[in-house]
Amino acid sequence: MYRHKTDPPLNKQRRRSGYLLVEMIVAGIVLAVVMTVYLQLLSATSRQQRYADHRQLAGEELANIMERITAQPYESIDQEELQSKELSDSATSHLHEAELNIDVQPVSEPVAGKQISLSLRWRDSGNVFVAPTRLTSWVYAPAGGTP
């Protein structure tokens, strides 16, 4: 066979037309590592969002309960009366084993009144109680009334 001078040598005619198997394996490993990190990040983000949603629900629930308590007449706000308060259906369905604690303490200075402390805790997905959400308010005796 006659070769023309402008034809490239035989060893340069052969060019890489695709990927090598090693390159494909390395690309697959890199993709697997990136996907693993991404899925872990997605899981952590989802867990934090769920925690924030639960905290917000607990805060709203305590604010609603406190509003109902402070709307009552001063004389009817006492420890025994308030122990019958219950959480809403939404809170009990979203907050696993939620526990509401209500504490009423008399305050004499600077003005006679009552300190009302609410605390709400629940179990997370690991069945461990989370740090409670707390809300405190003070109610003062009406002017001229007895505390």
Side-chain angles (χ1 to χ4, degrees):
M1 175 180 220
Y2 175 72
R3 287 189 53 208
H4 196 270
K5 280 190 167 188
T6 59
D7 288 342
L10 290 177
N11 60 356
K12 289 195 177 183
Q13 271 186 345
R14 203 187 263 183
R15 294 192 180 215
R16 286 180 36 180
S17 60
Y19 293 104
L20 293 176
L21 180 60
V22 174
E23 291 172 331
M24 292 296 288
I25 291 172
V26 169
I29 290 171
V30 168
L31 181 62
V33 168
V34 168
M35 288 301 295
T36 301
V37 170
Y38 175 74
L39 290 176
Q40 289 175 350
L41 180 64
L42 189 64
S43 173
T45 303
S46 173
R47 190 172 39 253
Q48 288 177 348
Q49 182 64 43
R50 189 170 39 255
Y51 179 77
D53 289 344
H54 287 168
R55 279 269 172 220
Q56 182 176 3
L57 176 63
E60 291 171 358
E61 185 70 19
L62 289 180
N64 289 338
I65 292 171
M66 185 65 80
E67 187 174 346
R68 287 193 301 268
I69 290 172
T70 56
Q72 294 178 2
Y74 179 80
E75 295 78 24
S76 68
I77 301 174
D78 64 350
Q79 186 75 33
E80 294 78 28
E81 179 75 25
L82 297 179
Q83 290 306 320
S84 64
K85 294 286 183 193
E86 293 184 7
L87 298 173
S88 68
D89 293 338
S90 175
T92 55
S93 66
H94 288 91
L95 303 176
H96 183 62
E97 293 184 32
E99 295 179 2
L100 175 65
N101 184 24
I102 302 174
D103 186 38
V104 180
Q105 296 293 323
V107 177
S108 58
E109 292 192 17
V111 179
K114 298 176 184 177
Q115 177 183 351
I116 306 164
S117 298
L118 304 178
S119 174
L120 179 61
R121 69 180 191 160
W122 62 94
R123 292 186 185 273
D124 64 5
S125 58
N127 207 24
V128 176
F129 278 111
V130 298
T133 301
R134 301 172 199 266
L135 184 63
T136 302
S137 181
W138 287 263
V139 178
Y140 297 102
T146 57

